[in-house]
Amino acid sequence: MARAVTMFTGQWADMKLDDLAKTMKGFGFDGLELACWGDHFEVDRAVTEDDYCDKKREQLDKYDLGCWSISTHLCGQAVCDIIDERHKSILPESVWGDGDPAGVNDRAAEAVKNAARAAQKFGVPVVNGFTGSSIWHLLYSFPPVPPKMIDDGFKLFADRWNPIMDVFGECGIKFGLEVHPTEIAFDIYSAEKALDAIGHREEFGFNFDPSHLLWQGIDPVEFIRYFPDRIYHVHIKDAITTLNGRTGILGSHIDFGDHRRGWNFRSPGHGGVNFEEIIRALNDIKYTGPLSIEWEDSGMDRLHGAEESCEFVRSIDFAPSDVAFDSAFDKEKQ
């Protein structure tokens, strides 16, 4: 089908964009999904400087690279989260400010609104990101969690994200939530509840990432088939579970990459995700957007992994058939 193969730059923000673009072009990528941190895509400058977006396009054009989305995961996380010291390390100073939790929530919401305005100026149709969640810590229901506490969490999500989605609607931009643990939606049924909470408004959909579903025991293909009209962007990322009788699915408070964890992210093709079935499902829903590699593998050199991943994604992407395989048997069509 020749979908564009892109690299999400979030895990590469330690590299200057010019260096990264040159490297990824050399590996055969068609474009980049630009993270809104580092120098890759600066939202504040995009909305305040008349020529910023043009210059950013020129920077990509120099290497014949496209861009179909930008990503505001870090600021998005702080919209609904209960803010603590962890957030200081991921947020820009303009959002963290004095660290007052309510102020951080408000400034994060404004930053996501500005991401929509920046995307409109930059000419991309999708902003990917996180929402955060005020109820993630209630996942295991002990002490017993009254249903109202969960309902209140989804109401808070709607109260904070509806005004953000108003701006996305005004700008003609879609928001793709990466369904992910620690977000308001982390599996099929919580994603459905999030859509219900926000009134199924068109601006709000999903950045499909199979890796976060796989280790939870969810078939990623089922997610695509459950939300065929809400897949606004696709991440290609792999994961593997290694439940050997000692490891646990909750990760045991052990860092990524450690063999004692019950699951880890892997470079595409090196884990348990069935990418062929995902491509078939994406063909069924007529998804024609980019396949964006989010590269995370603590056990592999990232440059090796990036180049290999590009080749892998090209090898698994194929167009649907435009004829029935048995049509040649029909005498009327001969």
Side-chain angles (χ1 to χ4, degrees), residues 101-123:
V104 174
N105 292 143
D106 290 344
R107 289 188 291 273
E110 290 303 312
V112 179
K113 292 176 185 177
N114 278 337
R117 298 177 179 116
Q120 182 185 36
K121 286 184 66 175
F122 192 47

Side-chain angles (χ1 to χ4, degrees), residues 5-273:
V5 180
T6 64
M7 174 62 81
F8 174 44
T9 71
Q11 288 78 8
W12 305 78
D14 57 310
M15 293 179 65
K16 293 294 186 182
L17 180 58
D18 204 65
D19 295 333
L20 180 62
K22 181 179 180 180
T23 298
M24 293 304 161
K25 183 60 182 179
F27 289 160
F29 283 89
D30 299 310
L32 301 176
E33 174 193 350
L34 293 178
C36 296
W37 53 92
D39 78 330
H40 294 185
F41 193 86
E42 298 161 273
V43 168
D44 289 347
R45 294 184 63 188
V47 297
T48 59
E49 298 179 16
D50 292 338
D51 61 349
Y52 179 85
C53 290
D54 289 338
K55 288 182 177 179
K56 189 62 62 174
R57 280 289 179 185
E58 290 172 4
Q59 194 175 12
L60 296 177
D61 288 346
K62 181 167 61 172
Y63 299 103
D64 193 27
L65 290 172
C67 181
W68 293 267
S69 64
I70 61 174
S71 294
T72 183
H73 289 69
L74 303 186
C75 288
Q77 185 69 41
V79 174
C80 283
D81 263 11
I82 299 171
I83 302 300
D84 59 42
E85 63 187 58
R86 297 170 302 152
H87 295 84
K88 185 176 182 180
S89 67
I90 67 170
L91 294 173
E93 290 183 8
S94 59
V95 173
W96 177 257
D98 61 3
D100 173 69
V104 174
N105 292 143
D106 290 344
R107 289 188 291 273
E110 290 303 312
V112 179
K113 292 176 185 177
N114 278 337
R117 298 177 179 116
Q120 182 185 36
K121 286 184 66 175
F122 192 47
V124 299
V126 177
V127 174
N128 298 313
F130 291 149
T131 59
S133 172
S134 64
I135 54 175
W136 171 251
H137 67 291
L138 303 177
L139 183 66
Y140 193 89
S141 191
F142 189 85
V145 178
K148 184 177 184 301
M149 292 183 71
I150 303 302
D151 292 342
D152 287 347
F154 279 93
K155 182 179 184 303
L156 178 68
F157 154 70
D159 289 345
R160 292 187 180 174
W161 278 87
N162 266 316
I164 296 172
M165 291 299 97
D166 289 343
V167 175
F168 273 73
E170 292 165 5
C171 294
I173 303 296
K174 298 288 198 299
F175 179 77
L177 165 61
E178 186 169 335
V179 174
H180 182 293
T182 77
E183 311 313 316
I184 196 65
F186 54 89
D187 62 10
I188 288 175
Y189 296 121
S190 57
E192 183 178 45
K193 195 171 179 68
L195 283 174
D196 288 343
I198 207 165
H200 290 259
R201 55 188 305 163
E202 185 179 354
E203 297 85 8
F204 188 89
F206 303 119
N207 173 44
F208 169 75
D209 185 324
S211 66
H212 307 300
L213 300 169
L214 180 86
W215 70 262
Q216 295 183 72
I218 301 161
D219 183 351
V221 172
E222 291 302 309
F223 190 95
I224 297 172
R225 300 201 184 282
Y226 207 88
F227 301 107
D229 61 342
R230 295 287 170 160
I231 306 299
Y232 292 163
H233 192 263
V234 170
H235 271 179
I236 299 294
K237 191 166 75 169
D238 214 336
I240 192 168
T241 56
T242 52
L243 300 176
N244 58 18
R246 296 188 303 274
T247 57
I249 202 66
L250 299 182
S252 308
H253 289 301
I254 297 173
D255 286 343
F256 287 113
D258 193 302
H259 71 278
R260 295 172 297 166
R261 283 179 57 89
W263 66 274
N264 270 295
F265 294 124
R266 288 286 177 86
S267 189
H270 293 275
V273 173

